[in-house]
Amino acid sequence: PGTFKDRMMMEKAPHQLIEGMIISAFAVNSPKSYIYIRGEYTQSIRTIEKAIREAYDAGLLGKNILGSGFSHDMDVYAGAGAYICGEETG
């Protein structure tokens, strides 16, 4: 969600984004996911990073999530800002 159209979601509902990514990761048994955000969206980056820390603290990310046996880590990457950089087929 690293483009302008996704800024409101990243800044106002970051936990929904993270929850959706965790559910998707569980469905495909992925141990790691990444969120690419344009480098100039500093508020979005701070908000998402804070929400990720809160998810780790709540046991919703990391090893053995809620005793399920599923483990998942998530990272934020700030980039130069090209639209295609945040698109999965790019």
Side-chain angles (χ1 to χ4, degrees):
T3 61
F4 183 80
K5 67 179 182 57
D6 300 311
R7 260 177 107 173
M8 291 304 288
M9 176 184 58
M10 291 187 293
E11 293 177 9
K12 303 296 183 191
H15 294 286
Q16 286 181 319
L17 169 66
I18 292 167
E19 180 182 9
M21 291 178 69
I22 294 168
I23 292 167
S24 298
F26 181 78
V28 297
N29 197 30
S30 172
K32 182 88 172 174
S33 61
Y34 306 90
I35 302 173
Y36 171 86
I37 303 175
R38 297 172 70 115
E40 62 267 28
Y41 293 170
T42 56
Q43 180 59 44
S44 295
I45 293 167
R46 283 193 302 270
T47 302
I48 292 289
E49 286 176 338
K50 181 179 183 275
I52 288 173
R53 283 191 305 274
E54 291 170 351
Y56 274 105
D57 291 346
L60 302 173
L61 283 172
K63 303 277 186 228
N64 194 23
I65 296 171
L66 300 176
S68 67
F70 176 68
S71 298
H72 189 76
D73 291 303
M74 192 175 293
D75 285 321
V76 173
Y77 286 92
Y83 180 83
I84 196 67
C85 293
E87 205 274 324
E88 71 271 7
T89 62

Coordinates of all heavy atoms in Angstrom, one line a residue:
P1 N 0.8 -1.2 0.0 CA 0.0 0.0 0.0 C 0.9 1.3 0.0 O 0.6 2.2 0.7 CB -0.8 -0.1 1.3 CG 0.2 -0.8 2.2 CD 1.0 -1.7 1.3
G2 N 1.9 1.3 -0.8 CA 2.9 2.4 -0.7 C 2.6 3.6 -1.6 O 3.4 4.4 -1.9
T3 N 1.3 3.8 -2.0 CA 1.0 4.9 -2.9 C 0.0 5.8 -2.3 O -0.5 5.5 -1.2 CB 0.5 4.4 -4.2 OG1 -0.7 3.7 -4.0 CG2 1.4 3.4 -4.9
F4 N -0.2 7.0 -2.9 CA -1.0 8.0 -2.3 C -2.4 7.5 -2.0 O -3.0 7.8 -1.0 CB -1.1 9.2 -3.3 CG -1.9 10.3 -2.7 CD1 -1.4 11.2 -1.8 CD2 -3.3 10.5 -3.1 CE1 -2.1 12.2 -1.2 CE2 -4.0 11.6 -2.5 CZ -3.4 12.4 -1.6
K5 N -3.0 6.7 -2.9 CA -4.4 6.2 -2.7 C -4.5 5.4 -1.4 O -5.6 5.3 -0.8 CB -4.8 5.4 -3.9 CG -4.1 4.1 -4.0 CD -4.6 3.3 -5.2 CE -3.9 1.9 -5.3 NZ -4.0 1.1 -4.2
D6 N -3.4 4.9 -0.8 CA -3.4 4.1 0.4 C -3.0 4.8 1.6 O -3.0 4.3 2.7 CB -2.5 2.9 0.2 CG -2.9 2.0 -1.0 OD1 -4.1 1.7 -1.0 OD2 -2.1 1.7 -1.8
R7 N -2.7 6.1 1.5 CA -2.2 6.9 2.7 C -3.2 6.9 3.8 O -2.8 6.7 5.0 CB -1.9 8.3 2.3 CG -0.5 8.5 2.0 CD -0.2 9.9 1.6 NE 0.4 10.7 2.7 CZ 0.8 11.9 2.5 NH1 0.7 12.5 1.4 NH2 1.4 12.5 3.5
M8 N -4.5 7.1 3.6 CA -5.4 7.2 4.6 C -5.5 5.9 5.4 O -5.6 5.9 6.6 CB -6.8 7.7 4.1 CG -6.8 9.1 3.6 SD -6.3 10.3 4.9 CE -7.7 10.2 6.0
M9 N -5.5 4.8 4.7 CA -5.6 3.5 5.3 C -4.4 3.3 6.2 O -4.5 2.8 7.4 CB -5.7 2.4 4.3 CG -5.6 1.0 4.9 SD -5.6 -0.4 3.7 CE -4.1 0.0 2.8
M10 N -3.2 3.6 5.7 CA -2.0 3.4 6.5 C -1.9 4.3 7.7 O -1.5 3.9 8.8 CB -0.7 3.7 5.6 CG -0.5 2.6 4.5 SD 1.0 2.8 3.6 CE 0.8 4.4 2.8
E11 N -2.5 5.5 7.6 CA -2.4 6.4 8.7 C -3.5 6.3 9.7 O -3.4 6.6 10.9 CB -2.2 7.9 8.2 CG -0.9 8.0 7.5 CD -0.7 9.4 6.8 OE1 -1.5 10.3 7.1 OE2 0.3 9.6 6.1
K12 N -4.7 5.9 9.2 CA -5.9 5.9 10.1 C -6.3 4.5 10.5 O -7.1 4.4 11.5 CB -7.1 6.6 9.4 CG -6.8 8.0 8.9 CD -6.6 8.9 10.1 CE -6.3 10.3 9.7 NZ -5.9 11.2 10.8
A13 N -5.9 3.5 9.7 CA -6.4 2.1 10.1 C -5.2 1.1 9.8 O -5.4 0.1 9.2 CB -7.6 1.7 9.2
P14 N -4.0 1.4 10.4 CA -2.9 0.5 10.2 C -3.1 -0.9 10.6 O -2.6 -1.9 10.0 CB -1.7 1.2 10.9 CG -2.4 1.9 12.0 CD -3.7 2.4 11.4
H15 N -3.8 -1.1 11.7 CA -4.0 -2.5 12.2 C -4.9 -3.3 11.3 O -4.7 -4.5 11.2 CB -4.7 -2.4 13.6 CG -3.8 -1.8 14.7 ND1 -2.7 -2.5 15.2 CD2 -3.8 -0.6 15.2 CE1 -2.0 -1.7 16.0 NE2 -2.7 -0.6 16.1
Q16 N -5.8 -2.7 10.5 CA -6.5 -3.5 9.5 C -5.6 -4.0 8.4 O -5.7 -5.1 8.0 CB -7.6 -2.6 8.9 CG -8.8 -2.4 9.8 CD -9.9 -1.5 9.2 OE1 -9.6 -0.6 8.5 NE2 -11.1 -1.9 9.4
L17 N -4.7 -3.1 8.0 CA -3.7 -3.5 7.0 C -2.9 -4.7 7.5 O -2.7 -5.7 6.8 CB -2.8 -2.4 6.6 CG -1.5 -2.7 5.8 CD1 -2.0 -3.2 4.4 CD2 -0.6 -1.5 5.7
I18 N -2.4 -4.6 8.7 CA -1.5 -5.6 9.3 C -2.3 -6.9 9.5 O -1.8 -8.0 9.2 CB -0.9 -5.1 10.6 CG1 0.1 -4.0 10.3 CG2 -0.3 -6.3 11.4 CD1 0.5 -3.2 11.5
E19 N -3.5 -6.8 10.0 CA -4.4 -8.0 10.1 C -4.6 -8.7 8.8 O -4.5 -9.9 8.7 CB -5.7 -7.6 10.8 CG -6.6 -8.8 11.0 CD -8.0 -8.4 11.6 OE1 -8.3 -7.2 11.7 OE2 -8.7 -9.4 11.9
G20 N -4.9 -7.9 7.8 CA -5.1 -8.5 6.5 C -3.9 -9.3 5.9 O -4.0 -10.3 5.3
M21 N -2.7 -8.6 6.2 CA -1.5 -9.3 5.8 C -1.2 -10.6 6.6 O -0.7 -11.5 6.0 CB -0.3 -8.3 5.9 CG -0.4 -7.1 4.9 SD 0.9 -5.9 5.1 CE 2.3 -6.9 4.5
I22 N -1.5 -10.6 7.8 CA -1.3 -11.8 8.7 C -2.2 -12.9 8.2 O -1.8 -14.0 8.0 CB -1.5 -11.5 10.2 CG1 -0.5 -10.5 10.7 CG2 -1.5 -12.8 11.0 CD1 -0.8 -10.0 12.1
I23 N -3.5 -12.6 7.9 CA -4.4 -13.6 7.4 C -4.0 -14.1 6.1 O -4.0 -15.4 5.9 CB -5.9 -13.0 7.3 CG1 -6.4 -12.7 8.7 CG2 -6.8 -13.9 6.6 CD1 -7.6 -11.8 8.8
S24 N -3.5 -13.3 5.2 CA -3.0 -13.7 3.9 C -1.8 -14.6 4.0 O -1.7 -15.6 3.3 CB -2.7 -12.5 3.0 OG -3.9 -11.7 2.7
A25 N -0.9 -14.2 4.9 CA 0.3 -14.9 5.1 C 0.0 -16.3 5.7 O 0.6 -17.3 5.3 CB 1.2 -14.2 6.1
F26 N -1.0 -16.4 6.6 CA -1.4 -17.7 7.1 C -2.0 -18.6 6.0 O -1.7 -19.8 6.0 CB -2.4 -17.5 8.2 CG -2.9 -18.7 8.9 CD1 -2.1 -19.4 9.8 CD2 -4.1 -19.3 8.5 CE1 -2.5 -20.6 10.4 CE2 -4.5 -20.5 9.1 CZ -3.8 -21.1 10.0
A27 N -2.7 -18.0 5.2 CA -3.4 -18.8 4.1 C -2.4 -19.4 3.1 O -2.6 -20.5 2.6 CB -4.3 -17.9 3.3
V28 N -1.2 -18.7 2.9 CA -0.2 -19.3 2.0 C 1.0 -19.8 2.8 O 2.0 -20.1 2.2 CB 0.2 -18.2 1.0 CG1 -1.0 -17.9 0.1 CG2 0.8 -17.0 1.6
N29 N 0.9 -19.8 4.1 CA 2.0 -20.3 5.0 C 3.3 -19.5 4.8 O 4.4 -20.1 4.7 CB 2.2 -21.8 4.8 CG 3.0 -22.4 6.0 OD1 2.9 -21.9 7.1 ND2 3.8 -23.4 5.7
S30 N 3.2 -18.2 4.7 CA 4.4 -17.3 4.5 C 4.9 -16.9 5.9 O 4.2 -16.3 6.7 CB 4.0 -16.1 3.7 OG 5.0 -15.2 3.7
P31 N 6.2 -17.1 6.1 CA 6.8 -16.7 7.3 C 7.2 -15.2 7.4 O 7.6 -14.7 8.5 CB 8.1 -17.6 7.4 CG 8.5 -17.7 6.0 CD 7.2 -17.8 5.2
K32 N 7.1 -14.5 6.3 CA 7.6 -13.1 6.3 C 6.8 -12.2 5.3 O 6.5 -12.7 4.3 CB 9.1 -13.1 5.9 CG 9.8 -11.8 5.9 CD 10.3 -11.4 7.3 CE 11.2 -10.2 7.2 NZ 11.6 -9.7 8.4
S33 N 6.6 -11.0 5.7 CA 6.0 -10.1 4.7 C 6.6 -8.7 4.9 O 7.2 -8.4 5.9 CB 4.4 -10.0 4.9 OG 4.1 -9.5 6.2
Y34 N 6.5 -7.9 3.8 CA 7.1 -6.6 3.8 C 6.1 -5.6 3.3 O 5.2 -5.8 2.5 CB 8.2 -6.6 2.7 CG 9.2 -7.7 3.0 CD1 9.1 -8.9 2.4 CD2 10.3 -7.5 3.8 CE1 10.0 -10.0 2.6 CE2 11.3 -8.5 4.0 CZ 11.1 -9.7 3.4 OH 12.0 -10.7 3.6
I35 N 6.2 -4.4 3.9 CA 5.3 -3.3 3.5 C 6.2 -2.2 2.9 O 7.1 -1.7 3.6 CB 4.6 -2.7 4.7 CG1 3.7 -3.7 5.4 CG2 3.7 -1.5 4.2 CD1 3.0 -3.3 6.6
Y36 N 6.1 -1.9 1.6 CA 6.8 -0.9 1.0 C 6.0 0.4 1.0 O 4.9 0.5 0.6 CB 7.1 -1.3 -0.5 CG 7.7 -0.2 -1.3 CD1 9.1 0.0 -1.3 CD2 6.9 0.7 -2.0 CE1 9.6 1.0 -2.1 CE2 7.4 1.8 -2.7 CZ 8.8 1.9 -2.8 OH 9.4 2.9 -3.5
I37 N 6.7 1.5 1.5 CA 6.0 2.8 1.6 C 7.0 3.8 1.0 O 8.2 3.8 1.3 CB 5.7 3.2 3.1 CG1 4.8 2.1 3.7 CG2 5.0 4.5 3.1 CD1 4.6 2.3 5.2
R38 N 6.4 4.7 0.2 CA 7.2 5.8 -0.3 C 8.0 6.6 0.8 O 7.4 6.9 1.8 CB 6.3 6.8 -1.1 CG 5.6 6.2 -2.3 CD 4.6 7.2 -2.8 NE 5.3 8.3 -3.5 CZ 5.2 8.5 -4.8 NH1 4.6 7.7 -5.6 NH2 5.9 9.6 -5.3
G39 N 9.2 6.9 0.6 CA 10.0 7.5 1.6 C 9.5 8.8 2.1 O 9.7 9.2 3.2
E40 N 8.9 9.6 1.2 CA 8.4 10.9 1.6 C 7.1 10.8 2.5 O 6.7 11.8 3.1 CB 8.1 11.8 0.4 CG 7.1 11.3 -0.5 CD 7.6 10.5 -1.7 OE1 8.7 9.8 -1.5 OE2 7.0 10.5 -2.8
Y41 N 6.5 9.6 2.7 CA 5.3 9.4 3.5 C 5.8 9.1 4.9 O 5.5 8.0 5.5 CB 4.4 8.3 3.0 CG 3.8 8.7 1.7 CD1 3.1 7.7 1.0 CD2 3.8 9.9 1.1 CE1 2.5 7.9 -0.2 CE2 3.2 10.2 -0.1 CZ 2.6 9.2 -0.8 OH 2.0 9.5 -2.0
T42 N 6.5 10.0 5.6 CA 7.1 9.8 6.9 C 6.0 9.5 7.9 O 6.2 8.6 8.8 CB 7.9 11.0 7.3 OG1 7.2 12.2 7.3 CG2 9.1 11.1 6.4
Q43 N 4.9 10.1 7.9 CA 3.8 9.9 8.9 C 3.3 8.4 8.7 O 3.1 7.7 9.7 CB 2.7 10.9 8.8 CG 1.5 10.6 9.7 CD 2.0 10.7 11.2 OE1 2.7 11.6 11.6 NE2 1.6 9.8 12.0
S44 N 3.1 8.0 7.5 CA 2.6 6.6 7.2 C 3.6 5.6 7.7 O 3.3 4.6 8.4 CB 2.4 6.4 5.7 OG 1.4 7.2 5.2
I45 N 4.9 5.9 7.5 CA 6.0 5.0 8.0 C 5.9 4.9 9.5 O 6.0 3.8 10.0 CB 7.3 5.4 7.4 CG1 7.4 5.3 5.9 CG2 8.5 4.6 8.1 CD1 8.6 6.0 5.3
R46 N 5.9 6.0 10.2 CA 5.9 6.0 11.6 C 4.7 5.3 12.2 O 4.7 4.5 13.1 CB 5.9 7.4 12.2 CG 7.3 8.1 12.1 CD 7.3 9.3 12.9 NE 6.4 10.3 12.5 CZ 6.6 11.3 11.6 NH1 7.8 11.4 11.0 NH2 5.7 12.2 11.3
T47 N 3.5 5.5 11.6 CA 2.3 4.9 12.0 C 2.3 3.4 11.8 O 1.9 2.6 12.8 CB 1.1 5.5 11.3 OG1 1.1 6.9 11.5 CG2 -0.3 4.9 11.7
I48 N 2.7 2.9 10.7 CA 2.8 1.5 10.4 C 3.8 0.8 11.3 O 3.5 -0.3 11.9 CB 3.1 1.2 8.9 CG1 1.9 1.7 8.0 CG2 3.4 -0.2 8.7 CD1 0.7 0.8 8.1
E49 N 5.0 1.4 11.5 CA 6.0 0.8 12.3 C 5.5 0.7 13.8 O 5.7 -0.3 14.4 CB 7.3 1.7 12.3 CG 8.0 1.5 11.0 CD 9.3 2.3 10.9 OE1 9.4 3.4 11.6 OE2 10.1 2.0 10.1
K50 N 4.8 1.7 14.3 CA 4.2 1.7 15.6 C 3.2 0.5 15.7 O 3.1 -0.2 16.7 CB 3.5 3.0 16.0 CG 2.9 3.1 17.4 CD 2.4 4.4 17.6 CE 1.8 4.5 19.0 NZ 0.4 4.1 19.2
A51 N 2.3 0.4 14.7 CA 1.3 -0.6 14.7 C 1.9 -2.0 14.7 O 1.4 -2.9 15.3 CB 0.3 -0.4 13.5
I52 N 3.0 -2.2 13.9 CA 3.7 -3.5 13.9 C 4.3 -3.8 15.2 O 4.1 -4.9 15.7 CB 4.8 -3.4 12.8 CG1 4.1 -3.5 11.4 CG2 5.7 -4.6 12.9 CD1 5.1 -3.3 10.2
R53 N 4.9 -2.8 15.9 CA 5.4 -3.1 17.3 C 4.3 -3.5 18.2 O 4.4 -4.4 19.0 CB 6.1 -1.8 17.8 CG 7.5 -1.6 17.2 CD 8.2 -0.5 18.0 NE 7.5 0.8 18.1 CZ 7.6 1.8 17.2 NH1 8.3 1.6 16.1 NH2 6.9 2.9 17.3
E54 N 3.1 -2.8 18.1 CA 2.0 -3.2 18.9 C 1.5 -4.6 18.6 O 1.1 -5.3 19.6 CB 0.8 -2.2 18.7 CG 1.2 -0.8 19.3 CD 0.2 0.3 18.9 OE1 -0.7 0.0 18.0 OE2 0.3 1.4 19.4
A55 N 1.5 -5.0 17.4 CA 1.1 -6.3 17.0 C 2.1 -7.4 17.6 O 1.7 -8.4 18.1 CB 1.0 -6.5 15.5
Y56 N 3.4 -7.1 17.5 CA 4.4 -8.0 18.2 C 4.1 -8.1 19.7 O 4.1 -9.1 20.3 CB 5.8 -7.5 17.9 CG 6.4 -8.0 16.6 CD1 6.5 -7.2 15.5 CD2 6.9 -9.3 16.5 CE1 7.1 -7.6 14.3 CE2 7.4 -9.8 15.3 CZ 7.5 -8.9 14.3 OH 8.1 -9.4 13.1
D57 N 3.9 -6.9 20.3 CA 3.7 -6.9 21.8 C 2.4 -7.6 22.2 O 2.4 -8.2 23.2 CB 3.6 -5.4 22.3 CG 4.9 -4.7 22.2 OD1 5.9 -5.3 22.0 OD2 4.8 -3.4 22.3
A58 N 1.4 -7.7 21.3 CA 0.2 -8.4 21.6 C 0.2 -9.8 21.2 O -0.7 -10.6 21.4 CB -1.0 -7.7 20.8
G59 N 1.4 -10.3 20.7 CA 1.5 -11.7 20.3 C 0.8 -12.0 18.9 O 0.6 -13.2 18.6
L60 N 0.6 -11.0 18.1 CA -0.1 -11.2 16.8 C 0.9 -11.3 15.7 O 0.6 -11.7 14.6 CB -1.1 -10.1 16.5 CG -2.2 -9.9 17.6 CD1 -3.0 -8.7 17.3 CD2 -3.0 -11.2 17.6
L61 N 2.2 -11.1 16.0 CA 3.3 -11.3 15.1 C 4.4 -11.9 15.8 O 4.5 -11.8 17.1 CB 3.8 -9.9 14.5 CG 2.9 -9.3 13.4 CD1 3.4 -7.9 13.0 CD2 2.9 -10.2 12.1
G62 N 5.3 -12.6 15.1 CA 6.4 -13.3 15.8 C 6.3 -14.8 15.8 O 5.6 -15.4 14.9
K63 N 6.9 -15.4 16.7 CA 6.8 -16.9 16.8 C 5.5 -17.4 17.5 O 5.0 -16.8 18.4 CB 8.0 -17.4 17.7 CG 9.4 -16.9 17.2 CD 9.9 -17.8 16.2 CE 11.3 -17.4 15.8 NZ 11.5 -17.4 14.4
N64 N 5.0 -18.5 16.9 CA 3.9 -19.2 17.5 C 2.7 -18.2 17.8 O 2.3 -18.1 19.0 CB 4.3 -20.0 18.7 CG 3.3 -21.0 19.1 OD1 2.5 -21.4 18.3 ND2 3.4 -21.4 20.3
I65 N 2.2 -17.6 16.8 CA 1.2 -16.5 17.1 C -0.1 -17.1 17.8 O -0.7 -18.1 17.3 CB 0.7 -15.9 15.7 CG1 1.9 -15.2 15.1 CG2 -0.5 -15.0 15.9 CD1 1.7 -14.7 13.7
L66 N -0.4 -16.6 18.9 CA -1.5 -17.0 19.7 C -1.6 -18.5 19.9 O -2.6 -19.1 20.0 CB -2.8 -16.5 19.1 CG -3.0 -15.0 19.0 CD1 -4.3 -14.6 18.3 CD2 -2.9 -14.3 20.3
G67 N -0.4 -19.2 20.0 CA -0.3 -20.6 20.3 C -0.7 -21.4 19.1 O -1.0 -22.6 19.2
S68 N -0.8 -20.8 17.9 CA -1.3 -21.5 16.7 C -0.3 -22.4 16.0 O -0.6 -23.2 15.1 CB -1.8 -20.5 15.7 OG -0.7 -19.7 15.2
G69 N 1.0 -22.2 16.4 CA 2.1 -22.9 15.6 C 2.5 -22.2 14.4 O 3.5 -22.5 13.8
F70 N 1.8 -21.1 14.0 CA 2.2 -20.3 12.9 C 3.0 -19.1 13.4 O 2.7 -18.4 14.3 CB 0.9 -19.8 12.2 CG 1.2 -18.8 11.0 CD1 1.8 -19.3 9.9 CD2 0.8 -17.5 11.1 CE1 2.0 -18.4 8.8 CE2 1.1 -16.6 10.1 CZ 1.7 -17.1 8.9
S71 N 4.1 -18.9 12.7 CA 5.0 -17.8 13.0 C 5.1 -16.8 11.8 O 5.2 -17.3 10.6 CB 6.4 -18.3 13.3 OG 6.4 -19.1 14.5
H72 N 5.1 -15.5 12.0 CA 5.2 -14.6 10.9 C 5.8 -13.3 11.4 O 5.5 -12.8 12.5 CB 3.8 -14.3 10.4 CG 3.8 -13.5 9.2 ND1 4.1 -14.0 7.9 CD2 3.6 -12.2 8.9 CE1 4.1 -13.1 7.0 NE2 3.7 -11.9 7.6
D73 N 6.8 -12.8 10.6 CA 7.4 -11.5 10.9 C 7.1 -10.5 9.8 O 6.8 -10.9 8.6 CB 8.9 -11.7 10.9 CG 9.4 -12.5 12.2 OD1 9.0 -12.0 13.3 OD2 10.0 -13.5 12.0
M74 N 7.1 -9.2 10.1 CA 6.7 -8.2 9.2 C 7.7 -7.0 9.3 O 8.0 -6.6 10.4 CB 5.3 -7.7 9.5 CG 4.6 -6.9 8.4 SD 2.9 -6.5 8.9 CE 2.1 -8.1 8.7
D75 N 8.1 -6.5 8.2 CA 9.0 -5.3 8.1 C 8.5 -4.2 7.2 O 7.7 -4.5 6.2 CB 10.4 -5.7 7.6 CG 11.2 -6.5 8.6 OD1 11.1 -6.2 9.8 OD2 11.9 -7.5 8.2
V76 N 8.9 -3.0 7.5 CA 8.6 -1.8 6.6 C 9.8 -1.4 5.9 O 10.9 -1.4 6.5 CB 8.1 -0.7 7.5 CG1 7.9 0.6 6.6 CG2 6.8 -1.0 8.2
Y77 N 9.7 -1.2 4.6 CA 10.8 -0.6 3.8 C 10.3 0.7 3.2 O 9.3 0.7 2.5 CB 11.2 -1.6 2.7 CG 11.9 -2.8 3.3 CD1 11.3 -3.9 3.7 CD2 13.3 -2.7 3.5 CE1 12.0 -5.0 4.2 CE2 14.0 -3.7 4.0 CZ 13.4 -4.9 4.4 OH 14.1 -5.9 5.0
A78 N 11.1 1.7 3.4 CA 10.8 3.0 2.8 C 11.6 3.1 1.5 O 12.8 2.7 1.4 CB 11.3 4.1 3.7
G79 N 11.0 3.5 0.4 CA 11.7 3.5 -0.9 C 11.6 4.9 -1.5 O 11.2 5.9 -1.0
A80 N 12.1 4.9 -2.7 CA 12.3 6.2 -3.5 C 10.9 6.8 -4.0 O 10.8 7.9 -4.3 CB 13.2 6.0 -4.7
G81 N 9.9 5.9 -4.1 CA 8.6 6.5 -4.4 C 8.0 6.2 -5.8 O 7.0 6.8 -6.1
A82 N 8.6 5.3 -6.5 CA 7.9 5.0 -7.8 C 6.7 4.1 -7.6 O 6.8 3.2 -6.7 CB 8.9 4.2 -8.7
Y83 N 5.6 4.3 -8.3 CA 4.4 3.5 -8.1 C 4.7 2.0 -8.3 O 4.2 1.2 -7.5 CB 3.3 4.0 -9.1 CG 2.1 3.2 -8.9 CD1 1.1 3.6 -8.0 CD2 1.8 2.1 -9.7 CE1 -0.1 2.9 -7.8 CE2 0.6 1.4 -9.5 CZ -0.3 1.8 -8.6 OH -1.5 1.1 -8.4
I84 N 5.4 1.7 -9.3 CA 5.6 0.2 -9.6 C 6.4 -0.5 -8.5 O 6.3 -1.7 -8.3 CB 6.3 0.1 -11.0 CG1 6.2 -1.3 -11.5 CG2 7.8 0.5 -10.9 CD1 4.8 -1.8 -11.8
C85 N 7.2 0.3 -7.7 CA 7.9 -0.4 -6.6 C 7.1 -1.1 -5.6 O 7.5 -2.0 -4.9 CB 8.9 0.6 -5.9 SG 10.1 1.3 -7.0
G86 N 5.9 -0.6 -5.3 CA 5.0 -1.2 -4.3 C 4.0 -2.2 -4.9 O 3.2 -2.8 -4.2
E87 N 4.1 -2.4 -6.2 CA 3.2 -3.4 -6.9 C 3.9 -4.7 -7.0 O 5.0 -4.8 -7.4 CB 2.8 -2.8 -8.3 CG 1.5 -3.2 -8.8 CD 1.7 -4.5 -9.6 OE1 2.7 -4.7 -10.2 OE2 0.7 -5.3 -9.5
E88 N 3.2 -5.8 -6.7 CA 3.8 -7.1 -6.5 C 4.4 -7.6 -7.8 O 5.3 -8.5 -7.8 CB 2.8 -8.1 -5.9 CG 1.7 -8.5 -6.8 CD 0.5 -7.7 -6.7 OE1 0.5 -6.6 -6.1 OE2 -0.5 -8.0 -7.3
T89 N 3.9 -7.3 -9.0 CA 4.5 -7.8 -10.2 C 5.6 -6.9 -10.7 O 6.2 -7.3 -11.8 CB 3.4 -7.9 -11.3 OG1 2.9 -6.6 -11.6 CG2 2.3 -8.9 -10.9
G90 N 5.9 -5.8 -10.1 CA 7.0 -4.9 -10.5 C 8.3 -5.6 -10.3 O 9.3 -5.3 -10.9

